[in-house]
Amino acid sequence: MDIHTLSQLLMAPAGPDRAREIGQMGYMQWLAGLPGGARYEAEVLHALRVTADFIDSDPAVAEFCRLLRASLRGPLAPLELALPAPRRRGGAWQRRRAL
């Protein structure tokens, strides 16, 4: 599990809809960062172990873990993943406020 992905999941306070978006983006980032020869199931189990302490306290992490578990269930089926809809989120003022 990439610590950068985990820190991004944990940094963003969010309501349920935004947490779902962040969790999905985190899953896509994690998936894209896997090495070419990685064993997917082993990587999923490792990511679930790393994030276990945050599932109950962070909705974005919970969504990320839900996707990980769903990806292992059979029969295989496409996951519902989407990029967030473009919208204004406060720009520089919001970034400064988050510090």
Side-chain angles (χ1 to χ4, degrees), residues 8-64:
Q8 287 180 324
L9 289 170
L10 294 171
M11 283 179 58
D17 292 337
R18 183 69 178 142
R20 189 172 18 270
E21 289 177 346
I22 293 168
Q24 290 179 5
M25 287 189 301
Y27 174 79
M28 290 184 271
Q29 178 176 318
W30 170 82
L31 185 62
L34 291 178
R39 290 182 38 237
Y40 182 77
E41 186 174 344
E43 294 291 336
V44 168
L45 295 175
H46 173 70
L48 288 170
R49 280 191 303 275
V50 170
T51 57
D53 292 339
F54 306 103
I55 292 173
D56 294 331
S57 61
D58 192 284
V61 173
E63 173 66 12
F64 173 77

Side-chain angles (χ1 to χ4, degrees), residues 89-99:
R89 293 193 175 91
W93 180 84
Q94 188 67 21
R95 286 190 298 278
R96 284 190 297 273
R97 190 172 148 241
L99 299 174

Side-chain angles (χ1 to χ4, degrees), residues 78-90:
L79 297 173
E80 290 186 30
L81 298 172
L83 293 173
R87 66 177 182 257
R88 293 190 59 89
R89 293 193 175 91

